[in-house]
Amino acid sequence: MKAMPDLSRIALALSPILLATLPTALHAHPDLERETASECILPPGWSAIAARDPQFVVFGETHGTKEAPAFVSDLVCALAARGDKVLLAVEHGSTYDARWQEAWALPQEQFRNAVLQHGWQGREDGVASIAMLDLIVRAHALKEGGAHIGIVAFNGARDDDQRSRFADLPSQGPHEAAQAENIAEAAADRNYDTVIVLVGSLHAMKAPTSIGGPEFEPMAARLATYGPVATLVMKHGDGSSWSCQLAEDAEFVPGQPLPQNAVVCADHPAGGRDDLEGEPYVSLTMPQDDPKRGFYDGFFWVGPITASPPAFPTEE
């Protein structure tokens, strides 16, 4: 049988009819099964997640790496390849979501440029990285090929009504509650099998926490009021990530806005764990020495990390 193309370009390789019937085709065509198994498979450990049958699986990442979005990208591809309906929820501004939905309906050749017009310009914090763009472009290509994949940009309050309804929550609670509601409402819009959420690790916590003030419920804790949640925190080896950090010589006044030159957004070194190894996988057992035991159900291991710069960098 002629070799199949890489599944990241599945929209170009498979007709909508073939992709929609992919689970049947896998059993009927051994060569296709081998190609799918080599290119687009569920990560080791996923069966334990599936056994819990969560509606929402939350991946708490370190922003600005290639590896976290790539891990989620492969997972979405594998779930879609077996016929699941998947909602991909990403930490971009909810006020852009309507425009994202319009872009999502466009043909593949128009999608990338259309979505880049909404929420990417000027983002230097690792959230709007090239790797994140690659994730959603690949998901859109799979969707164009016939896969049942939706998307939602869920970060923050989408309007004044939502903002006012959560205004009485302590500390960062209003922001977290809006995130959770935005995801839950998008999930309720269609009958999705699984909702895959990629978000910063703080928002992925399942227990109340504090960042120097009153305790608040992180997004994942709020999301659990809408349906079963499994929340996993990213673990990685040594490497680097694209992030915004205080400059070593930064001078600032506590309580006042930081001077522009006090923060450096760049490829920064990032230390990792040396007791984990191997190919990417998921685990529902947190390391015994982890200070965040109890805040997550488990972790996802991505190996050594490399920084992913902004997809739409700010011009100097």
Side-chain angles (χ1 to χ4, degrees):
M1 179 178 179
K2 186 178 179 179
M4 295 292 289
D6 188 284
L7 281 182
S8 65
R9 296 184 291 275
I10 198 168
L12 298 179
L14 299 176
S15 71
I17 294 176
L18 178 56
L19 186 58
T21 60
L22 192 51
T24 301
L26 291 179
H27 295 291
H29 303 287
D31 289 339
L32 181 58
E33 184 173 2
R34 284 196 295 271
E35 182 65 21
T36 300
S38 67
E39 298 291 344
C40 190
I41 61 174
L42 294 170
W46 183 257
S47 59
I49 304 294
R52 294 182 53 168
D53 195 25
Q55 181 181 3
F56 307 97
V57 184
V58 181
F59 291 86
E61 70 160 349
T62 298
H63 292 315
T65 75
K66 294 180 181 178
E67 288 71 22
F71 184 100
V72 169
S73 179
D74 288 342
L75 173 60
V76 169
C77 179
L79 291 171
R82 70 180 190 180
D84 287 8
K85 291 183 178 180
V86 183
L87 176 65
L88 173 61
V90 293
E91 193 183 351
H92 273 245
S94 62
T95 55
Y96 297 110
D97 185 61
R99 296 296 187 185
W100 277 37
Q101 300 307 320
E102 293 175 1
W104 198 248
L106 293 174
Q108 183 180 350
E109 63 272 13
Q110 298 178 23
F111 172 71
R112 185 181 186 277
N113 288 338
V115 80
L116 272 174
Q117 305 306 311
H118 308 291
W120 298 81
Q121 299 184 40
R123 292 295 300 266
E124 296 278 345
D125 56 1
V127 174
S129 67
I130 292 173
M132 186 70 76
L133 179 61
D134 288 345
L135 163 64
I136 66 170
V137 168
R138 185 185 186 193
H140 180 268
L142 287 163
K143 187 269 297 185
E144 285 295 282
H148 299 288
I149 300 175
I151 196 165
V152 61
F154 65 82
N155 193 38
R158 61 178 179 263
D159 53 34
D160 289 339
D161 175 68
Q162 190 180 51
R163 192 173 293 108
S164 65
R165 283 190 288 106
F166 298 131
D168 293 337
L169 295 175
S171 187
Q172 194 169 305
H175 182 84
E176 306 294 315
Q179 284 187 329
E181 184 176 78
N182 291 336
I183 295 168
E185 289 186 354
D189 185 52
R190 295 188 180 182
N191 187 26
Y192 291 104
D193 295 301
T194 308
V195 180
I196 301 297
V197 184
L198 182 58
V199 70
S201 58
L202 173 69
H203 310 295
M205 291 181 177
K206 66 175 186 176
T209 190
S210 171
I211 50 176
E215 281 195 341
F216 62 91
E217 282 190 309
M219 178 275 291
R222 296 281 303 196
L223 194 58
T225 65
Y226 298 97
V229 172
T231 181
L232 307 170
V233 66
M234 176 177 164
K235 301 295 182 184
H236 59 82
D238 291 341
S240 64
S241 64
W242 186 277
S243 59
C244 296
Q245 301 181 14
L246 283 174
E248 292 184 2
D249 58 350
E251 297 182 0
F252 59 94
V253 178
Q256 298 295 318
L258 288 172
Q260 186 174 2
N261 61 357
V263 176
V264 177
C265 299
D267 182 339
H268 292 287
R273 298 185 68 104
D274 58 9
D275 59 333
L276 301 174
E277 60 183 3
E279 295 300 311
Y281 66 90
V282 298
S283 172
L284 281 178
T285 302
M286 289 286 284
Q288 290 293 325
D289 63 343
D290 198 298
K292 294 299 183 181
R293 283 175 63 88
F295 285 92
Y296 306 97
D297 294 308
F299 67 91
F300 65 110
W301 166 254
V302 300
I305 55 173
T306 47
S308 182
F312 207 133
T314 301
E315 295 182 4
E316 297 294 338

